[in-house]
Amino acid sequence: MLFVVLFAAIAAFLALRLYAVLGKRTGHEQALPRPAEERVNTPPVPRTLDMPAEVRETGPRTVDQGAENGLRALVAADSSFDVGQFVEGAKAAYRMILEAFWKGDRETLGWLVEDQVRDTFVAAIDAREAAGHVVDNRLVSIERAGISNIEVEGRIARITMRFDADVAMVTRDAEGNVVSGSMSDAVETHDIWEFSRDLKSGDPNWKLSDTDEA
């Protein structure tokens, strides 16, 4: 019982920290990717499971050169913006959103993504459930997460992140039989996610506003 309480407390702490960095996800959206379980039908690349002067990065580079002008504009508009904190929060959001989608957790998606993005995810969940399929996916690792573009238009800032990750993908039917995929191999995935925020709003949280495949 003590371990259950401890894990629950840790989960609550992580959720609150993520909320503080990226916030609730609630509509700006373009083409969304196919649900991850549908990607197993595309040729996989298996892996066995055995910035500007005023904003300096430490460790691996997380801002592409093409995004540096946008970063300067963002820092000029919001001096509290921190590249490292944002990237770490985006990585946490990436994992939480994928896991919520795979589990069919509509409530969690409701505060992690914007309305139009959520509608697309929910439609995919509904179709999956109607077919009697269950997804048993697992995010094995995030190989790279970096900012590829930043735009500031008026009071709205948009940050585009690229995620290169390894995902184990399995889809099962209602009886638990494997329909597609494998848990013994991980598939390389490349996703483009956009986060946006109203810089004049009192809410400091960024919202997931668009997703696509690289």
Side-chain angles (χ1 to χ4, degrees):
M1 183 65 181
L2 176 60
F3 288 102
V4 173
V5 173
L6 177 60
F7 288 145
I10 293 173
F13 170 77
L14 292 175
L16 288 173
R17 183 166 183 175
L18 172 64
Y19 179 89
V21 176
L22 292 176
K24 298 180 180 178
R25 312 296 171 209
T26 59
H28 163 77
E29 173 234 21
Q30 300 174 12
L32 287 167
R34 291 169 292 155
E37 68 270 22
E38 296 178 7
R39 300 181 192 169
V40 296
N41 296 320
T42 61
V45 180
R47 290 189 180 182
T48 304
L49 294 184
D50 290 336
M51 151 197 248
E54 63 269 32
V55 180
R56 298 183 180 179
E57 298 180 70
T58 59
R61 185 173 183 82
T62 56
V63 181
D64 293 352
Q65 287 187 347
E68 289 184 347
N69 287 338
L71 179 56
R72 291 187 181 93
L74 176 55
V75 171
D78 179 7
S79 59
S80 67
F81 179 77
D82 182 276
V83 172
Q85 184 183 40
F86 178 86
V87 171
E88 288 305 308
K91 288 165 62 177
Y94 182 73
R95 179 180 295 275
M96 291 179 68
I97 291 169
L98 287 180
E99 291 179 351
F101 173 67
W102 294 334
K103 294 175 182 177
D105 187 347
R106 297 170 178 79
E107 181 178 356
T108 297
L109 287 173
W111 63 272
L112 286 176
V113 306
E114 290 194 2
D115 292 343
Q116 293 183 22
V117 180
R118 177 185 179 278
D119 290 346
T120 300
F121 284 140
V122 169
I125 292 171
D126 291 343
R128 185 174 71 208
E129 293 179 349
H133 290 170
V134 176
V135 174
D136 189 16
N137 293 355
R138 179 163 61 92
L139 178 59
V140 177
S141 64
I142 298 176
E143 296 297 318
R144 180 183 182 275
I147 296 173
S148 60
N149 189 53
I150 300 177
E151 296 180 354
V152 179
E153 299 178 355
R155 56 192 292 164
I156 304 300
R158 297 183 178 90
I159 299 179
T160 302
M161 290 282 301
R162 171 169 174 143
F163 297 95
D164 298 324
D166 292 337
V167 180
M169 301 180 179
V170 174
T171 299
R172 304 180 189 276
D173 61 21
E175 286 70 45
N177 301 311
V178 175
V179 174
S180 60
S182 168
M183 288 300 286
S184 62
D185 290 323
V187 175
E188 289 185 7
T189 62
H190 308 283
D191 293 310
I192 303 296
W193 284 20
E194 180 188 270
F195 297 91
S196 62
R197 175 175 173 257
D198 184 343
L199 299 177
K200 300 300 182 181
S201 170
D203 183 355
N205 303 305
W206 293 81
K207 304 175 186 297
L208 177 64
S209 53
D210 187 23
T211 71
D212 202 351
E213 289 182 89

